[in-house]
Amino acid sequence: MAEIIKLDGTRQLDFDRETVEQAYDRWAPVYDLVFGGVFSKGRRAAIQATNSIGGRVLEVGVGTGISLPQYASHLRIFGTDSSEAMLRKAHARVADLGLKNVEGLAVMDAEKLEFPDGSFDVVMAQYVVTAVPNPEVALDEFARVLRPGGELILLSRVSAD
């Protein structure tokens, strides 16, 4: 994947949202098996940080919901993802495990979050910023839906400590 630098200085990755959604839809059946272990160290650290902050949490790119059981039970979690197939697995996980602290799961574009300004105490995005066509737009959206003084937690690189 290449990066395009526009004349105005903004950057854009040379893939579109539909391509990303289709890729994750195809990976959904085996995603946890293939990537669960690869991302486990970063996921644990990010969730530990989130649990220590508390409040209402938005997990952008919640995928199959692999993270959801690790959040503290006193947190209120809302998860979004662009892949319907991934979210079907997340819904099943929430139901199977009886996760009462999950407020909702919805198909949503990370660059156009459907929440009012200041809705969350924490926005968590695991390996999302490198998978959206316009990362700066997504980051602006994350900041917009954070309450003043809220925390943004990003995971980006595979295998990086």
Side-chain angles (χ1 to χ4, degrees):
M1 138 180 44
E3 183 176 61
I4 299 167
I5 301 176
K6 299 178 184 179
L7 292 176
D8 65 1
T10 60
R11 298 169 186 260
Q12 181 177 341
L13 298 178
D14 73 342
F15 60 91
D16 61 49
R17 190 167 287 101
E18 185 177 335
T19 301
V20 173
E21 290 169 16
Q22 290 172 354
Y24 280 101
D25 283 349
R26 282 191 304 273
W27 275 104
V30 296
Y31 188 88
D32 292 354
L33 180 64
V34 174
F35 295 107
V38 172
F39 297 138
S40 64
K41 184 176 181 181
R43 182 174 50 250
R44 275 193 310 271
I47 292 172
Q48 182 178 11
T50 300
N51 286 343
S52 69
I53 297 164
R56 189 169 187 229
V57 177
L58 172 62
E59 185 175 333
V60 180
V62 71
T64 65
I66 195 169
S67 299
L68 296 175
Q70 297 175 40
Y71 288 108
S73 61
H74 68 278
L75 299 180
R76 294 172 297 135
I77 313 295
F78 199 104
T80 67
D81 204 281
S82 63
S83 167
E84 289 183 34
M86 295 285 251
L87 280 177
R88 279 193 294 275
K89 290 196 75 159
H91 277 285
R93 186 181 310 268
V94 168
D96 291 348
L97 298 176
L99 300 176
K100 306 262 189 261
N101 62 335
V102 177
E103 290 182 353
L105 299 166
V107 173
M108 206 173 294
D109 182 343
E111 297 176 17
K112 297 176 188 161
L113 297 172
E114 300 168 18
F115 300 104
D117 295 358
S119 296
F120 297 94
D121 299 295
V122 179
V123 173
M124 157 83 78
Q126 299 181 50
Y127 312 102
V128 170
V129 175
T130 55
V132 294
N134 301 293
E136 293 90 353
V137 175
L139 289 169
D140 287 344
E141 274 296 275
F142 301 167
R144 181 187 66 76
V145 300
L146 270 176
R147 68 162 172 75
E151 295 285 334
L152 174 58
I153 299 175
L154 302 174
L155 282 143
S156 182
R157 295 198 159 198
V158 178
S159 299
D161 289 339

